[in-house]
Amino acid sequence: MCSEAVLKYLQSTNRPYSVNDIFQNLHNAFSKNVIQKSLDELAEKGSIKEKVYGKQKIYCVIQTTEDVGNEDELFELNELIEKKSKEAHQLDQEIKLLELKLKELQSQPTTQQAEADNERLRKSNALLKDKLNQLRKGVSIISKEEWKKKEEELNKVTKECKKRSRWLKDMTDAVLENYNSSKNQLYDEIGIEM
């Protein structure tokens, strides 16, 4: 009974297993010793093949030539595999192209975002056109208070600039009294640009 179950399992999976693998895959239906004895019996009968790798034994079903099929059938299977491989490669290429298109589309704004941007730009454009028309007519866009404030700031900065220029002239004149070269050479040495 155990021999039949083990043989049936090996035939259905059609791959090599060790005793431990078979024991676990049969979900402890039989003890490990019983499975080992069944595998030894099946190997003696020639139903399965036993290979020893170091201390471990591996068991697999012996495949008959009927299982393999004839050469025409193998040739057809190889052609089918090659055809399917080409189709898979072609589909991979199509997937890559479609993914690139998807990324490109996702990077662009949505219709709602584009409409919102368009509306914002129209409003901004209208405001700029109004300012331009007012400037062409000679109308001042800045209020008188703001104009006065800016004029006062300009006057203050101009006075400060003139004051500093006088200081620079006084200091350079004092240095030039004991300096052997020209004023321009002194400015070059100090790094002052006029």
Side-chain angles (χ1 to χ4, degrees), residues 17 42-43 52 81 101 106 146 171 176 179-180 184:
Y17 284 107
L42 290 169
V52 179
I81 289 170
K101 285 182 183 178
Q106 286 176 337
E146 198 173 339
M171 284 194 296
L176 282 172
Y179 191 67
N180 294 337
N184 289 335

Side-chain angles (χ1 to χ4, degrees), residues 52-159:
V52 179
Y53 294 101
K55 293 182 178 180
Q56 188 174 20
K57 292 181 181 179
I58 302 295
Y59 300 93
C60 61
V61 175
I62 297 175
Q63 296 180 349
T64 61
T65 53
E66 295 170 7
D67 294 341
V68 175
N70 60 22
E71 285 185 28
D72 292 337
E73 195 176 326
L74 286 176
F75 184 74
E76 288 175 16
L77 288 174
N78 284 336
E79 283 183 346
L80 181 66
I81 289 170
E82 192 174 317
K83 181 182 173 187
K84 294 294 180 183
S85 295
K86 286 179 182 177
E87 286 177 14
H89 181 70
Q90 214 171 15
L91 290 173
D92 283 342
Q93 296 299 324
E94 288 179 28
I95 288 171
K96 286 178 183 176
L97 287 173
L98 291 173
E99 284 176 345
L100 285 173
K101 285 182 183 178
L102 178 64
K103 284 181 183 177
E104 184 181 328
L105 289 173
Q106 286 176 337
S107 68
Q108 296 181 2
T110 63
T111 305
Q112 294 168 341
Q113 290 171 336
E115 288 174 352
D117 286 347
N118 190 19
E119 187 62 32
R120 181 181 50 79
L121 291 172
R122 282 186 186 171
K123 288 178 182 177
S124 173
N125 194 18
L127 288 173
L128 291 173
K129 279 184 181 179
D130 287 343
K131 276 187 179 180
L132 181 62
N133 289 335
Q134 288 178 358
L135 288 172
R136 284 184 180 160
K137 291 177 185 175
V139 178
S140 178
I141 297 174
I142 301 173
S143 65
K144 289 184 180 181
E145 296 86 24
E146 198 173 339
W147 184 269
K148 283 184 180 179
K149 207 186 266 185
K150 296 294 178 186
E151 243 179 5
E152 288 171 6
E153 285 179 25
L154 178 64
N155 290 335
K156 186 178 176 184
V157 169
T158 306
K159 285 179 187 176

Side-chain angles (χ1 to χ4, degrees), residues 156-167:
K156 186 178 176 184
V157 169
T158 306
K159 285 179 187 176
E160 189 67 31
C161 184
K162 286 180 182 177
K163 187 175 157 184
R164 289 184 182 195
S165 292
R166 274 191 310 254
W167 285 351

Side-chain angles (χ1 to χ4, degrees), residues 36-50 59 62:
Q36 181 65 56
K37 287 179 184 175
S38 299
L39 287 169
D40 291 338
E41 287 175 20
L42 290 169
E44 283 178 24
K45 289 180 186 175
S47 302
I48 63 172
K49 190 171 185 178
E50 173 185 277
Y59 300 93
I62 297 175

Side-chain angles (χ1 to χ4, degrees), residues 1-10 19 22-23 26 28-42 45 48:
M1 176 154 170
C2 178
S3 297
E4 294 171 11
V6 169
L7 183 61
K8 191 174 182 182
Y9 174 72
L10 286 174
V19 176
I22 296 171
F23 174 69
L26 289 178
N28 304 334
F30 305 99
S31 71
K32 201 188 250 186
N33 290 334
V34 173
I35 291 174
Q36 181 65 56
K37 287 179 184 175
S38 299
L39 287 169
D40 291 338
E41 287 175 20
L42 290 169
K45 289 180 186 175
I48 63 172

